Amino acid sequence: MHHPYDSFDPLCKSPFGAACAGSKVHFSILLSAFTLPQSCSLLLYRDDEFETPERCPLSLLESTAGGNRYGCTLQLSERPQLYFYCFEVVCPDGPRQIRKIDAHCGDFSETGELWQLTVYDPAYSVPRLPEHGIIYQIFPDRFCCSGQPKQNVPSDRTLHPTWEEMPEYLPNREGKITNSDYFGGDLEGIRQHLGYLKSLGVSLIYLNPIFEAHSNHRYNVADYFCVDPLLGSTEDFKRLCADAREMGIGILLDGVFSHTGADSVYFNREGRYGGTGAFRDPESPYRSWYKFEEYPNRYHSWWGFDTLPEVREETPDFLEFICGENGVIRHWMRLGAAGFRLDVADELPDIILDRLREAVKAENPNGILIGEVWEDASNKIAYSQRRRYLLGAQLDSVMNYPFMNAVLRYIRYGDSLALYYGVLSILENYPTPSVQLLFNSLSTHDTARAITVLAGEEYMGDDRQWQFEHHFLRSEQYERGRRLLLLAYTLLYFLPGLPCLYYGDEAGLSGWRDPFNRTPYPWGHEDQELISRFQLLGKIYRENPFLQEAPFIPVISTDDLFIYQRRSGGRSLSVIVNRGDIPYDLRSIPSGGKVTIITGRFEHGELYPLSAIVVLREQADEKGALL
C-alpha cells in the first residue's frame, strides 16, 4: 500500500532518525498524480509551543509515473530540543493533513499522530567500553560468597545456611516482606571470578547497590559512604576495581538518590544510629532533606513504602552531599568506580541530573552515567514535565527496556511487528551517541528471567506462591527454553547498543519476579553448554568493534524468520534467527561469509527450527550479501 510519507524511508526523510542541532534535514512526500495541491507545507511544532507551527513550504521535486514528489530542506536551529511534525496539503476543497497512522507511515488523517524529530547537541559524546565488550549485571548478595570473614555485620541479619536455598518469599508474621534474608555474596567473590567474566566478553560490571543498607537489595541506603559490611570493606572495593581495570573491565555502581532508608544514618527511624537523624532529631542537619507532613510520623515515601522516605533532591545541602567536591559521586569514583547507573532516573529532577553529570565528568571525562527509564527516554514526560535526558547535557544513555520487550515478544509469540517497530522506533528517536551506550538486557533484577518468560507458564500477575510453584521449569520446558534463550540473546547481542547479561542467565537460572529472579548463581551446577554458547556470543561481539558504528538494516521480518544486518567499512555481520517449527531454505541468499551456529542446526543451506546463525563477511559488497 502506498503512503505519502514514511519516516523510515530515506526518500522521505534524510538523514534517518535524530539530528544534530544546526544541521540540515531533508523531507519529502509523494502525492498521487491525481492530487493537485495548491500548496504543501511541513508543519513543525516546537515541544514548548504547540499552538503555532512553523511552516516550511514544500516545492515540486519530481514527477514520475508513481506520482509527484514535494520536498524541502530544513535548517535546524542551534538549540537542542524536541520537535514534532506533520504535513499540510491544501487542495481546492480545503487543507488536509498527513499524519502518522502507525509506527512510521503517514496518510491523510485528522486524527493521526505527529512524528518526532529529536535535535541533540552536536557535542554529545559518550564513553566507550574498554575492548568493546559486554555488560554483566550482578545482584551482589547472590553472585558469589568468598567465605572471607566480615567485620561489623549487624546482628539482626538472617543468613541462609546453604547457598542453594530459595530466597524467602512469603510475608512474615506481621504480613510484611522484609527482604532481610542474605546469602552472603560479596565483593571478593566477584573479584575471584573476574577471569570467568572475562571469558564471557565482559568489559563492564554493573553492580546493584553496594552501600550499607539493611535489606538484601540495598535500595534503602543507610550510609552512602560505606560498603555494606556483608559485602566487605572499602579496601575490597578498591581491590576489585583495580584488578578489574587490569583486565579491561570497569565497575559501574547503582546510585539511589530519590530516597534513603528509614533505617539510615540520615533518617534513623529505628534508632540504630543513636539519637541522630531527621526522624529523631528536629535539629538534624538532614531534616531539610525529607518531606514531613506531620513531624515525625507522617512523611512522603517512595511509592508509599514507609521504609523508603523520599528526599528533596533539589535541597542545596543534599545536592552538595551527593554531587559536591567531596560528595558521594566523587568519593566512589576516586576509589575506582567507572560511573553510576541512576535508580528511578525519571523521578529525579533536572537540577540533580545536571549536577550528577557534572560530578561524574569532572572526576573522569570518560565516566559513565546511565539512567533507569523504562519507556522511550527521548520523549518521556515525568511529573508533567518533558525530560531532556538524551539531548546531550544530562545522561549518557539509559537502560533499554523497549528492546527487551520487543525481543521477548518476538521469540515467544512471533510478534515480528513488535520487534521491527520496537527497534526502529527507538533508533529513530534516540541520538546516535545515546544508542552507542544503550544497556540492552533481557533480564534484570526488576524483571522475570528471560528463560522463564520464554518457556514457562503464562504469567498473569500471579502471587508469590504461584511464582514459587512455577519457579523451576520442567525438563521439556527447560530444553526448549535454553534454545529460545539463545535465539533471543543472539538477536539482542548484535542490535545497536551494548549487550547486558544478567548474572546467571548464561548458566540456566530461571525465575519469575523478585525474589525469584534473584536466586544465587548456581556454582557447581551451571549449564556448561549454555555458558559455552554465551562465551561464543561474547567472542564474536568483541572481535567486531565495527558494530559500534554500523547501522541496523532489517532484511526479513516474519512470524518465524527474522534477519537483520549490521554493515560498516567493508564488513558486515548478519543475524538470522528461525524461531519457528519448520526449516528455512537460505540458499537463495548470496553466499560467501563465515557462518557461526549459535544454536540449532544449519546444513546444506537450510536453517533448522529453533536455530540461530551469525554470518560475518570481511568484504561486504554494496548490496550487503548475507551469506
Side-chain angles (χ1 to χ4, degrees), residues 154-176:
S155 60
D156 57 353
R157 299 192 179 183
T158 301
L159 279 168
H160 286 268
T162 66
W163 186 252
E164 292 76 19
E165 290 187 353
M166 185 67 68
E168 291 183 5
Y169 64 92
L170 294 176
N172 63 14
R173 293 179 180 178
E174 288 75 42
K176 295 181 179 180

Side-chain angles (χ1 to χ4, degrees), residues 553 555 563-567 570-576 588-594 615-627:
I553 305 169
V555 179
I563 303 177
Y564 70 84
Q565 188 177 85
R566 309 287 304 282
R567 187 169 71 244
R571 305 186 74 190
S572 75
L573 185 142
S574 300
V575 174
I576 306 176
S588 60
I589 298 174
S591 61
K594 175 186 176 183
V615 184
L616 180 66
R617 283 175 57 89
E618 296 295 338
Q619 293 296 325
D621 57 31
E622 292 184 359
K623 294 182 179 179
L626 293 175
L627 298 179

Side-chain angles (χ1 to χ4, degrees), residues 13-45:
K13 178 176 178 289
S14 180
F16 169 78
C20 290
S23 67
K24 295 180 179 180
V25 182
H26 306 282
F27 295 91
S28 75
I29 57 175
L30 182 63
L31 301 179
S32 163
F34 299 104
T35 301
L36 301 175
Q38 296 173 347
S39 66
C40 303
S41 301
L42 167 72
L43 303 185
L44 191 68
Y45 298 84

Side-chain angles (χ1 to χ4, degrees), residues 50-108:
F50 275 91
E51 296 298 324
T52 306
E54 178 183 346
R55 290 179 175 272
C56 306
L58 306 182
S59 58
L60 180 64
L61 300 179
E62 62 175 351
S63 296
T64 67
N68 299 318
R69 185 169 293 279
Y70 299 82
C72 71
T73 297
L74 177 66
Q75 176 69 56
L76 296 173
S77 76
E78 299 292 335
R79 176 191 168 197
Q81 60 189 304
L82 279 192
Y83 288 103
F84 295 89
Y85 67 93
C86 65
F87 301 90
E88 183 180 76
V89 178
V90 179
C91 297
D93 59 347
R96 300 173 64 193
Q97 289 193 352
I98 298 173
R99 287 175 168 250
K100 186 164 67 168
I101 59 172
D102 63 18
H104 58 112
C105 291
D107 216 325
F108 289 103

